[in-house]
Amino acid sequence: MSALTEMLRSHPQKPTTHFDAIARCIEACFECEQICVTCADACLAEEQVGMLRECIRLNLDCADLCGATGRLISRQARPEPALWRATLEACAQACRSCAEECAKHQDRHEHCRICKESCERCERACRDALQQMPSGGAESRH
Amino acid sequence: MSALTEMLRSHPQKPTTHFDAIARCIEACFECEQICVTCADACLAEEQVGMLRECIRLNLDCADLCGATGRLISRQARPEPALWRATLEACAQACRSCAEECAKHQDRHEHCRICKESCERCERACRDALQQMPSGGAESRH
Amino acid sequence: MSALTEMLRSHPQKPTTHFDAIARCIEACFECEQICVTCADACLAEEQVGMLRECIRLNLDCADLCGATGRLISRQARPEPALWRATLEACAQACRSCAEECAKHQDRHEHCRICKESCERCERACRDALQQMPSGGAESRH
Amino acid sequence: MSALTEMLRSHPQKPTTHFDAIARCIEACFECEQICVTCADACLAEEQVGMLRECIRLNLDCADLCGATGRLISRQARPEPALWRATLEACAQACRSCAEECAKHQDRHEHCRICKESCERCERACRDALQQMPSGGAESRH
């Protein structure tokens, strides 16, 4: 059991119905943030940096969204369903945009291939977490 | 002219059609992040912190979303319309959730009143930026 | 009075002896974060991006340090003196490194000149806040 | 080999002499950020939240410093030694402060024990990375 999973299990108000999907999503978000930050820096170090401008931008966008989303869903005590949905949607979109751009460069740059795969994992994890959110949750909270 | 506006004007690929809405939105996001971080800390310092748990959580959620959104829309060279829309929607929702919770405490706590107003300004700024985004932009980019 | 100053004044445990230096430092940190994020993106849009790699990296480093520092010193209820000192030192150093790199490009790129000036303001604000911290604070807290 | 290690190895300008210490430090920083964010939220959910105010504050400080530090040292192409040192020092201090506070609550709250251990690992990883930085590096770079 990772330190993160152990941590989430010790939370006094952890979610009961979709704990695993959320735990995976948090791990995927923080991993993707870190990998996107590194991919941006690796792109900056490539000789043909001029062809990687858009990749660097989307790396940075994706890193910021993943970081904010990972933090938000780590605060699991009383999730605000409408906010979780909008945030997970935005994060999935950031991962999608970044993965598509990285895919264009993956044959030439190994770091873009690794980053694309991390973005795809994170997009899937966000969509899984979205699907497992209790339906009608927005109402049931109040 | 603020340093931020001057900075945005010096960008070689700044948006031409909705520059003012974006500049206002960036300023509102960074202001709201900062004010939400402070409101969370002020709530933590209140004697009746037990009644402010949900306010602190939404302060932190809103700060993280505003920070990520402010950074994303500061990268204005080649905005990715679907990503901008999803992110501005998520930020507007975070501001809405936080403003509603702060409103419950504003009579007792001045910092919650100030935070509520900042969140409302930021939500409006996000919605204005959303409205002024070129329609069909998601397609026109490719 | 700005929304931020009003907010800080409403905090139940605000510092009494060096309030103005801290308020200025918070504002400088968030401004510098935003301006560094924009300078990185503007550099990425320049034709000669290859000459600006180091500038982009230091912009991103400085943005991250300024963001974390601005948040830390916004939590002013019970500052941890050793932590505040180390953080303000790191932020001042990030601003120094970024300003020096931006200075090399300021004749060619207006955004680098504006960013250099913002970094210099933020470095000064950090050093002022450091100087006005109560001496021996690390001990007096316990 | 983790995705992160694989990513770092694909970077065209990775450090040769202290690669492992840096890779471990990046992983420790992102893990600690995530765990501190969760500990803050778990503390907020405890009945006796009033006794955990300082713990929540230091959790948030530590999360912000770890996040910024993890990002900075992920940009490994051409590290700025003075900046890396100051940042790693600040992060180690944040981990120290948070670990000491969490230790006071670890008998009562499992999440504080887990968080304390994560902070201690991250502090050690920062100090290891500091020790393995090339001495005199600040000068040799120019």
Side-chain angles (χ1 to χ4, degrees), chain C residues 60-122:
Chain C
L60 298 178
D61 286 350
C62 192
D64 288 338
L65 261 293
C66 284
T69 305
R71 281 168 165 250
L72 185 117
I73 59 176
S74 294
R75 286 188 283 271
Q76 51 185 326
R78 288 188 64 205
E80 186 88 24
L83 175 54
W84 275 47
R85 281 206 190 89
T87 304
L88 287 167
E89 286 286 0
C91 190
Q93 180 61 53
C95 292
R96 177 96 313 271
S97 298
C98 189
E100 281 174 14
E101 185 64 32
C102 277
K104 298 178 193 166
H105 311 287
Q106 66 178 335
D107 292 340
R108 198 162 296 165
H109 303 302
E110 179 75 352
H111 48 83
C112 287
R113 180 192 60 77
I114 299 168
C115 189
K116 185 203 73 166
E117 290 174 7
S118 177
C119 289
E120 287 173 347
R121 269 197 303 280
C122 190

Side-chain angles (χ1 to χ4, degrees), chain D residues 44-102:
Chain D
L44 268 179
E46 295 293 348
E47 207 178 339
Q48 303 217 310
V49 59
M51 298 183 62
L52 294 162
R53 298 165 205 255
E54 193 61 7
C55 194
I56 294 168
R57 277 187 190 113
L58 288 168
N59 283 158
L60 298 178
D61 286 351
C62 192
D64 288 338
L65 261 295
C66 284
T69 303
R71 283 168 162 248
L72 186 118
I73 60 176
S74 295
R75 286 187 284 271
Q76 52 185 326
R78 288 187 63 205
E80 186 88 25
L83 175 53
W84 275 46
R85 282 206 188 89
T87 303
L88 287 166
E89 285 286 359
C91 190
Q93 179 62 53
C95 293
R96 178 96 312 271
S97 299
C98 190
E100 282 174 13
E101 185 64 31
C102 277

Side-chain angles (χ1 to χ4, degrees), chain B residues 20 41 66 84 121:
Chain B
D20 289 341
D41 193 63
C66 284
W84 276 47
R121 271 196 303 279

Side-chain angles (χ1 to χ4, degrees), chain B residues 116-137:
Chain B
K116 185 204 74 167
E117 290 175 8
S118 177
C119 290
E120 287 174 346
R121 271 196 303 279
C122 191
E123 186 194 2
R124 270 197 306 275
C126 288
R127 300 219 178 277
D128 283 352
L130 270 167
Q131 270 195 331
Q132 295 194 28
M133 282 185 65
S135 65

Side-chain angles (χ1 to χ4, degrees), chain A residues 101-119:
Chain A
E101 184 64 31
C102 277
K104 299 179 193 165
H105 311 287
Q106 65 177 335
D107 292 340
R108 196 161 300 165
H109 303 302
E110 178 75 352
H111 48 83
C112 287
R113 181 192 60 76
I114 300 167
C115 189
K116 185 204 75 166
E117 291 174 8
S118 176
C119 289

